[in-house]
């Protein structure tokens, strides 16, 4: 997909895997059909580059963030902004939405995480989390937890029901966090020492596997994992894949895919890849070459 002008910073599937949402340096967000590649809708409103996007499970609402320090909440069907959320002092790099679209969380270069309740009238954050000592690079919301990754080298898990925070220090700037396996509470974490690590939250944040072979030393290169595959972008322009269930202490990649001519900024595996054999080899990537690639 070549609709963007300049680097594409992020690209994700919706919950069905039928559509791809991408955002980039051109300040635009595109909604495309994953099967045909057809551009369905463009969303224009950000004054600076779009750094992150997230979509509710029912695909009715989308949140986006960017260099303008704003978080926008969009009505997917009308392409209109329903909320403009301000509270960060610097660039907002990541955003997450809970399953029903009622809660939006954002992470910023200003070291803070802001949480908004979209059911409430006030436009001010419901809560501000400021434990990080450096910028927030990545974030995910599960049924009961908010998990953030920071350039200070830590992954912080906030239990929203119990009101407590757990911190896992990895020793290298964290640039990507995703849930590899929700049932077993395994996190996929990408770091700027050119490693992807699987963390077992049930076992005190123990690193159960480390994957290397790609390059991530200067840029926010995102990664993803499920029960079968670990995937990561790379600064060398390739997409790297590993077997999730490895017996090696440090696993070398099983596959290196060429499809971009620049840094691969973003990778997401198909959301149904664990249950649908046809989708087990499907993913979407985005790069500094301005392309979104559906595999």
């Amino acid at each position: 997909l070549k609709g963007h002008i300049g680097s594409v910073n992020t690209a994700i599937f919706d919950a069905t895997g039928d559509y791809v949402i991408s955002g980039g340096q051109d300040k635009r967000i595109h909604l495309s059909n994953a099967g045909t590649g057809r551009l369905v809708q463009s969303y224009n409103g950000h004054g600076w580059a779009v750094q992150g996007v997230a979509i509710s499970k029912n695909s009715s609402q989308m949140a986006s963030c960017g260099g303008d320090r704003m978080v926008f909440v969009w009505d997917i069907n009308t392409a209109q902004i329903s909320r403009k959320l301000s509270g960060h002092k610097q660039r907002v790099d990541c955003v997450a939405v809970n399953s029903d679209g009622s809660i939006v969380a954002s992470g910023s270069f200003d070291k803070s995480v802001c949480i908004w309740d979209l059911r409430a009238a006030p436009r001010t954050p419901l809560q501000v989390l400021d434990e990080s000592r450096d910028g927030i690079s990545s974030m995910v919301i599960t049924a009961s937890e908010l998990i953030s990754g920071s350039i200070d080298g830590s992954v912080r898990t906030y239990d929203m029901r119990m009101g407590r925070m757990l911190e896992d220090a990895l020793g290298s700037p964290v640039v990507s966090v995703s849930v590899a396996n929700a049932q077993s509470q395994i996190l996929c974490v990408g770091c700027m020492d050119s490693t992807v690590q699987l963390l077992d939250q049930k076992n005190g944040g123990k690193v159960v596997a480390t994957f290397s072979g790609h390059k991530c030393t200067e840029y926010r290169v995102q990664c993803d994992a499920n029960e079968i595959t670990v995937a990561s972008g790379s600064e060398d322009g390739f997409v790297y894949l590993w077997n999730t269930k490895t017996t090696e202490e440090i696993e070398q990649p099983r596959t290196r895919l060429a499809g971009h001519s620049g840094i691969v900024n973003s990778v997401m595996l198909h959301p149904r890849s664990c249950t649908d054999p046809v989708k087990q080899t499907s993913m979407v990537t985005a790069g500094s070459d301005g392309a979104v690639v559906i595999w």
Side-chain angles (χ1 to χ4, degrees), residues 2 27 60 77 97 116 128 143 160 201 240 242-243 247 258 269 272 295:
K2 301 215 178 258
K27 313 172 190 177
S60 63
N77 294 324
V97 180
W116 283 274
V128 177
M160 295 182 284
Q201 288 189 298
Y240 288 80
W242 299 264
N243 293 318
T247 58
L269 298 168
R272 295 202 303 266
W295 306 75

Side-chain angles (χ1 to χ4, degrees), residues 7-244:
S7 177
V8 184
N9 298 323
T10 185
I12 63 171
F13 286 109
D14 74 334
T16 67
D18 295 333
Y19 295 92
V20 167
I21 303 97
S22 56
Q25 292 295 120
D26 58 5
K27 313 172 190 177
R28 296 180 179 180
I29 300 165
H30 288 170
L31 174 68
S32 304
N33 186 297
T36 65
R38 182 178 65 88
L39 177 64
V40 178
Q41 183 65 269
S42 288
Y43 302 82
N44 302 311
H46 279 284
W48 292 75
V50 177
Q51 297 293 117
V53 292
I55 190 168
S56 61
K57 193 171 183 179
N58 63 7
S59 297
S60 63
Q61 287 194 110
M62 174 178 66
S64 63
C65 63
D68 49 15
R69 301 179 291 179
M70 297 292 295
V71 176
F72 292 167
V73 180
W74 304 81
D75 182 298
I76 289 286
N77 294 324
T78 64
Q80 297 299 307
I81 300 171
S82 57
R83 290 276 188 111
K84 291 184 178 181
L85 306 173
S86 60
H88 287 292
K89 298 177 182 178
Q90 297 187 54
R91 182 186 73 232
V92 186
D93 282 328
C94 54
V95 66
V97 180
N98 70 341
S99 59
D100 65 4
S102 62
I103 298 293
V104 170
S106 57
S108 170
F109 194 69
D110 67 8
K111 310 176 187 179
S112 72
V113 173
C114 289
I115 302 173
W116 283 274
D117 185 347
L118 299 185
R119 297 165 296 188
R123 298 297 199 266
T124 55
L126 174 69
Q127 189 174 5
V128 177
L129 308 174
D130 58 2
E131 289 80 7
S132 178
R133 297 176 296 277
D134 210 326
I136 308 296
S137 59
S138 185
M139 184 185 312
V140 63
I141 296 178
T142 67
S144 61
E145 296 176 331
L146 186 152
I147 305 164
S148 68
S150 172
I151 302 300
D152 68 9
S154 290
V155 174
R156 294 176 176 85
T157 301
Y158 298 88
D159 189 320
M160 295 182 284
R161 293 175 181 172
M162 302 297 292
R164 64 183 182 186
M165 185 270 288
L166 298 175
E167 180 176 340
D168 297 308
L170 299 183
S172 181
V174 175
V175 291
S176 180
V177 175
S178 61
V179 176
N181 189 317
Q183 292 183 339
S184 59
Q185 294 183 307
I186 301 293
L187 297 181
C188 176
V189 180
C191 297
M192 290 187 74
D193 59 358
S194 297
T195 64
V196 175
Q197 302 180 45
L198 297 185
L199 271 60
D200 185 351
Q201 288 189 298
K202 282 186 177 180
N203 195 15
K206 178 183 177 182
V207 177
V208 295
T210 299
F211 306 90
S212 65
H214 65 301
K215 183 180 180 182
C216 176
T217 58
E218 298 182 64
Y219 297 91
R220 186 177 63 139
V221 172
Q222 298 170 44
C223 57
D224 196 16
N226 57 29
E227 296 176 1
I228 303 166
T229 300
V230 175
S232 178
S234 179
E235 294 170 11
D236 61 9
F238 291 94
V239 181
Y240 288 80
L241 303 176
W242 299 264
N243 293 318
T244 300

